[in-house]
Amino acid sequence: MIYITRKEHFNAAHKLFHSEWSEEKNLEVFGKCANPNWHGHNYYLFVTVKGEVNPDTGYTVNLKELSTIIRVHITDKLDHKNLNLDVDFMKNRMPTTENVAIAIWEQLDAHIQKLGGMLHCIKLCETDNNYVEYFGGS
Amino acid sequence: MIYITRKEHFNAAHKLFHSEWSEEKNLEVFGKCANPNWHGHNYYLFVTVKGEVNPDTGYTVNLKELSTIIRVHITDKLDHKNLNLDVDFMKNRMPTTENVAIAIWEQLDAHIQKLGGMLHCIKLCETDNNYVEYFGGS
Amino acid sequence: MIYITRKEHFNAAHKLFHSEWSEEKNLEVFGKCANPNWHGHNYYLFVTVKGEVNPDTGYTVNLKELSTIIRVHITDKLDHKNLNLDVDFMKNRMPTTENVAIAIWEQLDAHIQKLGGMLHCIKLCETDNNYVEYFGGS
Amino acid sequence: MIYITRKEHFNAAHKLFHSEWSEEKNLEVFGKCANPNWHGHNYYLFVTVKGEVNPDTGYTVNLKELSTIIRVHITDKLDHKNLNLDVDFMKNRMPTTENVAIAIWEQLDAHIQKLGGMLHCIKLCETDNNYVEYFGGS
Amino acid sequence: MIYITRKEHFNAAHKLFHSEWSEEKNLEVFGKCANPNWHGHNYYLFVTVKGEVNPDTGYTVNLKELSTIIRVHITDKLDHKNLNLDVDFMKNRMPTTENVAIAIWEQLDAHIQKLGGMLHCIKLCETDNNYVEYFGGS
Amino acid sequence: MIYITRKEHFNAAHKLFHSEWSEEKNLEVFGKCANPNWHGHNYYLFVTVKGEVNPDTGYTVNLKELSTIIRVHITDKLDHKNLNLDVDFMKNRMPTTENVAIAIWEQLDAHIQKLGGMLHCIKLCETDNNYVEYFGGS
């Protein structure tokens, strides 16, 4: 078993804001992240796949194919977008780093199995100072 | 003469969109940056000040005071904000990296003279792959 | 379960020196790190907390509160300090990266439980070329 | 138990090319990496060792000795070399990041046991955008 | 006047070897870089263009167009290639970082003028520890 | 003319403290940096040399020789040392980043001329957030 990781990125806007809460409560819980007119980030995404090394190719999965899957299913939908408004798979989900990472896992999991590997970890960095790692739901 | 640089950062939303142009022309010129619902970035700001070294302190300017000036006049106004909508000194200016850098110079220049140094360069990084440097208008 | 990490830093002096050993033995074991007049580092600290995602906030723990806990209990006590002389919780402990990481775990563990998460890992980087990870004592 | 990591690097040439396949098939599987005249990378290698902290020294293993072991057995053999042609322990192995990481594990494992630690992970970064982690064969 | 920089990268093989010199002299001058079977690097290229800010777009040059020019004229020709053997504009030039940077300037200069900017600097990083900057020949 | 830069590093302790001032004044001017028991940093040093490219070698200066000069005259004297107490060329100089950069210039200037280049810039980074650049005294 070996683990291979591909790094991708996307730049997106979001806000953290609970529509059923008062502005005061939103500010108390989410601070500056509740700014009504949005803010944004350069997100860095690390997708780790585990599998056996193919004896002919020396590859676990083909990184070019992995990169294409991430682009089609994730970064084309998130890059230069608003995570609250523009993304089908984020509808009705607070776009915290945690929830975006979990949603990315859900989008990628089946596609990576078709590549012949198993999704091991989604690591999502929102700033240089904080990131989230998700290893699946079981 | 010596040059001292302080790095700060802010996370903001923006879009590049000319209100007098059609959506087609905006897309043609600005591409994904014209997304109506905004996108955003982690911006890194490098403020370079030049001056003489004070023989008593060994300082050109006091970095703590420089950092406070940048916070009060720049990052408190830009961090977790929308560069098109929320920032007084960006009103009626297309928020490209170039224009934000020039506006930051204008905001900081006089304050840095009061510190005893001369503003030399505003370097503003929008992503890991592009940045702008502005050395003033003369 | 999800894992969230906050990065902080502190700049400190230390030396590696065993008072019961000769200077020769100290030099043999600790090399340049035994320099009597100290040396120092920019330390980078990564605190990883694991927990469930709160369905209302989308947060595992509130990063602002986590950051405050790290500041009060760790970085206020270590930043711009001497790890051999100035830090209560490092008394009588050789300030290697290993021992500082373990001591930070001991200081933080209970406070992070009060936040609603579980401390998962203390990662401490002493230079660009070496770091330590501690996952607790059990 | 604690985990300590040492980072080293080497610059090498390689190509991914299966001698029993046609040029077309090589291109299809390996893309640009099959270029007959080679290409190359700055590789970053992270060697993680786990062990107990020695109560006298505060060390898990002596990093200077670990660094020497990595230099003698790995980087002296790989740095400024051709991974397909110049390296004894890569003979008849496709030099993908996966296979180089596994080969490094095999070279280092016994030597690190003599240091008093256990090899935990070989992480090998081929570019800023992809890396492999290997935790041994069992 | 403002300066805008685009970062690109390419991975290539090369060796430093003077065909009219003995192997001893090559080794004496170029050290490990003279390895007959090549070695390689991940090169990072920073292209800095200077110009006026267009009042309509807020752009100095369009970064997408700049990126395309660099891809067509530089990285498509250098990426996953051998700098001694595969690159038309490096024929009969020792592929040191200096000479590659100068050759890139010569390839890009006229094309960047057509974009409406002036090429200001080619910065080429061969490793994390050394890089070259070229500001043109005059 | 071309500019070539070599990056080196050293880890050192220091404090900023004026012996003729009260403790209060030292604290007011230097803040946490005045801690009596020292603190320290991982310093990164960038030495930029300018010169002509040698038509035979393609080198401006030989980086291996440049690196040796920096090691002998600078990093061997500063690494794992106390900048206030252990360094001959820092005697009676407040070890601010500015003064250390100027002192490094003075130590290196003549030696780099013997290599056949001209010292252009000393860039010294004390933390990720601040650095100094010195281009010589004239």
Side-chain angles (χ1 to χ4, degrees):
Chain A
M1 275 297 192
I2 203 159
Y3 298 76
I4 188 158
T5 298
R6 177 77 191 171
K7 180 186 175 192
E8 303 282 350
H9 69 271
F10 55 92
N11 308 322
H14 77 152
K15 69 176 163 186
L16 303 183
F17 191 88
H18 203 303
S19 57
E20 294 169 21
W21 292 351
S22 67
E23 211 164 308
E24 289 70 32
K25 177 142 190 210
N26 272 293
L27 218 83
E28 184 200 320
V29 174
F30 295 120
K32 295 182 297 182
C33 299
N35 179 44
N37 285 328
W38 323 95
H39 67 284
H41 297 288
N42 302 338
Y43 288 90
Y44 291 93
L45 169 64
F46 296 78
V47 177
T48 301
V49 174
K50 91 177 150 190
E52 306 284 345
V53 179
N54 179 310
D56 283 334
T57 62
Y59 279 168
T60 311
V61 292
N62 187 311
L63 275 183
K64 203 171 176 176
E65 294 173 18
L66 177 57
S67 182
T68 302
I69 282 176
I70 301 171
R71 184 173 50 70
V72 170
H73 297 285
I74 305 299
T75 52
D76 277 358
K77 293 184 172 180
L78 300 183
D79 189 33
H80 284 72
K81 292 287 161 54
N82 184 309
L83 300 181
N84 301 64
L85 303 178
D86 293 334
V87 185
D88 52 3
F89 62 75
M90 288 303 299
K91 283 272 142 60
N92 300 316
R93 301 171 98 152
M94 185 76 70
T96 58
T97 319
E98 286 93 331
N99 281 341
V100 180
I102 293 170
I104 290 172
W105 175 286
E106 294 167 0
Q107 296 303 305
L108 286 181
D109 193 19
H111 297 288
I112 283 168
Q113 287 184 37
K114 284 180 220 152
L115 264 191
M118 278 175 55
L119 183 54
H120 174 68
C121 182
I122 296 296
K123 178 178 174 182
L124 184 62
C125 307
E126 195 187 64
T127 74
D128 277 3
N129 298 322
N130 58 284
Y131 62 83
V132 145
E133 289 161 300
Y134 183 61
F135 297 87
S138 58
Chain B
M1 274 298 190
I2 203 159
Y3 298 75
I4 188 158
T5 298
R6 176 77 191 171
K7 179 186 176 193
E8 304 282 350
H9 68 273
F10 55 93
N11 309 322
H14 77 153
K15 68 176 164 186
L16 303 183
F17 192 88
H18 203 304
S19 57
E20 295 169 21
W21 293 351
S22 68
E23 211 162 308
E24 288 71 33
K25 176 143 190 210
N26 273 294
L27 218 82
E28 184 200 320
V29 174
F30 295 120
K32 295 182 295 182
C33 299
N35 179 43
N37 285 329
W38 322 95
H39 67 284
H41 297 288
N42 302 338
Y43 288 90
Y44 291 93
L45 169 64
F46 296 78
V47 176
T48 301
V49 173
K50 90 177 153 190
E52 307 283 346
V53 179
N54 179 311
D56 282 334
T57 62
Y59 279 168
T60 312
V61 294
N62 188 310
L63 274 184
K64 203 169 176 177
E65 293 173 19
L66 176 57
S67 182
T68 302
I69 281 176
I70 301 171
R71 184 173 50 72
V72 171
H73 298 285
I74 305 298
T75 52
D76 276 357
K77 294 184 173 181
L78 299 182
D79 189 33
H80 285 73
K81 292 288 161 54
N82 184 309
L83 300 180
N84 301 64
L85 302 177
D86 293 334
V87 186
D88 53 1
F89 63 76
M90 288 303 299
K91 283 272 142 59
N92 300 316
R93 301 171 98 153
M94 185 75 71
T96 57
T97 320
E98 286 93 330
N99 280 342
V100 180
I102 293 170
I104 290 173
W105 175 287
E106 294 167 0
Q107 297 301 307
L108 286 181
D109 193 19
H111 296 288
I112 283 169
Q113 287 185 38
K114 283 179 221 153
L115 264 191
M118 279 174 55
L119 183 54
H120 174 68
C121 181
I122 295 296
K123 177 179 174 182
L124 184 61
C125 307
E126 195 187 62
T127 74
D128 277 3
N129 298 323
N130 57 284
Y131 61 82
V132 145
E133 290 160 299
Y134 183 62
F135 298 87
S138 58
Chain C
M1 274 298 190
I2 203 159
Y3 298 75
I4 188 158
T5 298
R6 177 75 191 173
K7 180 187 176 192
E8 303 282 351
H9 68 273
F10 55 93
N11 308 323
H14 77 153
K15 68 176 163 185
L16 303 183
F17 192 89
H18 203 304
S19 57
E20 295 169 20
W21 293 351
S22 66
E23 211 162 309
E24 288 69 32
K25 176 140 191 213
N26 272 294
L27 218 83
E28 184 199 321
V29 174
F30 295 121
K32 295 182 296 183
C33 299
N35 179 43
N37 285 328
W38 322 95
H39 67 284
H41 298 288
N42 302 338
Y43 288 90
Y44 291 93
L45 168 65
F46 296 78
V47 176
T48 302
V49 173
K50 92 178 151 188
E52 306 283 346
V53 179
N54 179 311
D56 282 335
T57 62
Y59 279 168
T60 311
V61 293
N62 188 311
L63 275 183
K64 203 171 176 175
E65 293 174 17
L66 176 58
S67 182
T68 302
I69 282 176
I70 302 171
R71 185 173 49 71
V72 171
H73 298 284
I74 306 298
T75 53
D76 277 357
K77 294 183 172 181
L78 300 183
D79 189 33
H80 285 72
K81 292 287 161 53
N82 183 310
L83 300 181
N84 301 64
L85 302 178
D86 293 334
V87 186
D88 52 2
F89 62 76
M90 288 303 299
K91 283 271 142 56
N92 300 317
R93 301 172 98 153
M94 185 75 70
T96 57
T97 320
E98 285 93 330
N99 280 341
V100 180
I102 292 170
I104 290 173
W105 175 287
E106 294 167 0
Q107 297 302 306
L108 285 181
D109 192 19
H111 297 288
I112 283 169
Q113 287 184 38
K114 284 180 221 152
L115 263 192
M118 278 174 57
L119 183 54
H120 174 68
C121 182
I122 296 296
K123 178 178 173 182
L124 185 62
C125 307
E126 195 187 64
T127 73
D128 277 3
N129 297 324
N130 58 285
Y131 62 83
V132 145
E133 289 160 301
Y134 184 61
F135 297 87
S138 59
Chain D
M1 274 297 192
I2 203 159
Y3 298 75
I4 188 158
T5 298
R6 177 76 191 173
K7 180 187 175 191
E8 304 282 349
H9 68 273
F10 55 93
N11 308 323
H14 77 153
K15 68 177 164 186
L16 303 182
F17 191 89
H18 204 303
S19 57
E20 295 169 19
W21 292 352
S22 67
E23 211 163 308
E24 288 70 32
K25 177 140 191 213
N26 272 293
L27 217 83
E28 184 199 321
V29 174
F30 295 121
K32 295 182 296 183
C33 299
N35 179 43
N37 286 327
W38 321 96
H39 67 284
H41 297 288
N42 303 337
Y43 288 90
Y44 291 93
L45 168 64
F46 296 78
V47 176
T48 301
V49 174
K50 91 177 151 191
E52 306 284 345
V53 179
N54 179 310
D56 282 335
T57 61
Y59 279 168
T60 311
V61 293
N62 188 311
L63 274 183
K64 203 170 177 176
E65 295 173 16
L66 177 57
S67 183
T68 302
I69 282 176
I70 302 171
R71 184 172 49 71
V72 170
H73 298 284
I74 306 299
T75 54
D76 276 358
K77 295 183 172 180
L78 300 182
D79 189 33
H80 285 73
K81 292 287 162 54
N82 184 309
L83 300 180
N84 301 64
L85 302 178
D86 293 333
V87 186
D88 53 2
F89 62 76
M90 288 302 299
K91 285 271 143 60
N92 300 315
R93 300 172 98 152
M94 185 76 70
T96 57
T97 320
E98 287 93 330
N99 280 342
V100 180
I102 293 170
I104 290 173
W105 176 287
E106 294 167 1
Q107 297 302 307
L108 285 181
D109 194 18
H111 297 288
I112 283 168
Q113 287 183 37
K114 283 180 221 152
L115 263 192
M118 278 174 56
L119 182 54
H120 174 69
C121 182
I122 296 296
K123 177 179 174 181
L124 184 62
C125 306
E126 195 186 65
T127 74
D128 277 4
N129 298 323
N130 57 285
Y131 62 83
V132 146
E133 290 160 300
Y134 183 61
F135 298 86
S138 57
Chain E
M1 275 298 192
I2 203 159
Y3 298 76
I4 188 158
T5 298
R6 177 76 190 172
K7 179 187 176 192
E8 303 282 351
H9 68 273
F10 56 93
N11 308 323
H14 77 152
K15 68 176 164 187
L16 303 182
F17 192 89
H18 203 303
S19 57
E20 296 168 18
W21 292 351
S22 67
E23 211 163 308
E24 289 70 33
K25 176 142 191 210
N26 272 295
L27 218 82
E28 183 199 319
V29 174
F30 295 120
K32 295 183 295 182
C33 299
N35 180 44
N37 285 328
W38 322 96
H39 67 284
H41 298 288
N42 302 337
Y43 288 90
Y44 291 93
L45 168 64
F46 296 78
V47 176
T48 301
V49 174
K50 93 177 150 189
E52 305 283 345
V53 180
N54 179 311
D56 282 335
T57 62
Y59 278 168
T60 311
V61 293
N62 188 311
L63 274 184
K64 202 169 176 177
E65 294 174 17
L66 176 57
S67 183
T68 302
I69 282 175
I70 301 171
R71 184 173 51 72
V72 171
H73 298 285
I74 305 298
T75 53
D76 277 358
K77 294 183 172 180
L78 300 183
D79 189 34
H80 285 73
K81 293 287 162 54
N82 183 308
L83 300 180
N84 301 64
L85 302 178
D86 294 333
V87 186
D88 52 2
F89 62 77
M90 288 303 299
K91 284 271 142 60
N92 300 316
R93 299 171 97 153
M94 185 75 72
T96 57
T97 320
E98 286 93 330
N99 280 342
V100 180
I102 292 170
I104 290 173
W105 176 287
E106 293 167 1
Q107 297 302 306
L108 285 181
D109 193 20
H111 297 287
I112 283 168
Q113 287 184 38
K114 284 181 219 151
L115 263 192
M118 278 174 57
L119 183 53
H120 174 68
C121 181
I122 296 296
K123 177 179 175 182
L124 184 63
C125 306
E126 194 187 63
T127 73
D128 276 5
N129 298 323
N130 57 284
Y131 62 83
V132 145
E133 290 161 301
Y134 183 62
F135 297 88
S138 57
Chain F
M1 275 297 191
I2 202 159
Y3 298 75
I4 187 158
T5 298
R6 177 76 191 173
K7 180 186 175 191
E8 303 283 350
H9 68 273
F10 55 93
N11 308 322
H14 77 152
K15 69 177 164 186
L16 303 182
F17 192 88
H18 204 304
S19 57
E20 295 170 19
W21 293 351
S22 68
E23 211 162 309
E24 288 70 33
K25 177 144 190 208
N26 272 295
L27 218 83
E28 184 200 319
V29 174
F30 295 120
K32 296 182 295 183
C33 299
N35 179 44
N37 285 328
W38 323 95
H39 67 285
H41 297 288
N42 303 336
Y43 288 91
Y44 292 93
L45 168 65
F46 297 77
V47 176
T48 301
V49 174
K50 91 177 152 189
E52 306 283 346
V53 179
N54 179 310
D56 282 334
T57 62
Y59 279 168
T60 311
V61 292
N62 188 311
L63 274 183
K64 204 170 175 175
E65 295 174 16
L66 177 57
S67 184
T68 301
I69 282 176
I70 301 171
R71 184 173 49 71
V72 171
H73 297 285
I74 306 299
T75 53
D76 277 357
K77 295 184 172 180
L78 300 183
D79 189 33
H80 285 72
K81 292 287 162 55
N82 183 310
L83 300 180
N84 301 64
L85 302 178
D86 293 333
V87 186
D88 53 2
F89 62 75
M90 288 303 299
K91 284 271 143 57
N92 299 316
R93 300 171 99 153
M94 185 75 71
T96 57
T97 320
E98 287 92 331
N99 280 342
V100 181
I102 292 170
I104 290 173
W105 175 287
E106 294 167 359
Q107 297 302 307
L108 286 181
D109 193 18
H111 297 287
I112 284 169
Q113 287 185 37
K114 283 179 222 153
L115 264 192
M118 278 174 57
L119 183 54
H120 174 68
C121 181
I122 295 296
K123 177 178 173 181
L124 185 61
C125 306
E126 195 187 63
T127 73
D128 276 4
N129 299 322
N130 57 284
Y131 62 83
V132 145
E133 291 161 300
Y134 183 61
F135 298 87
S138 58

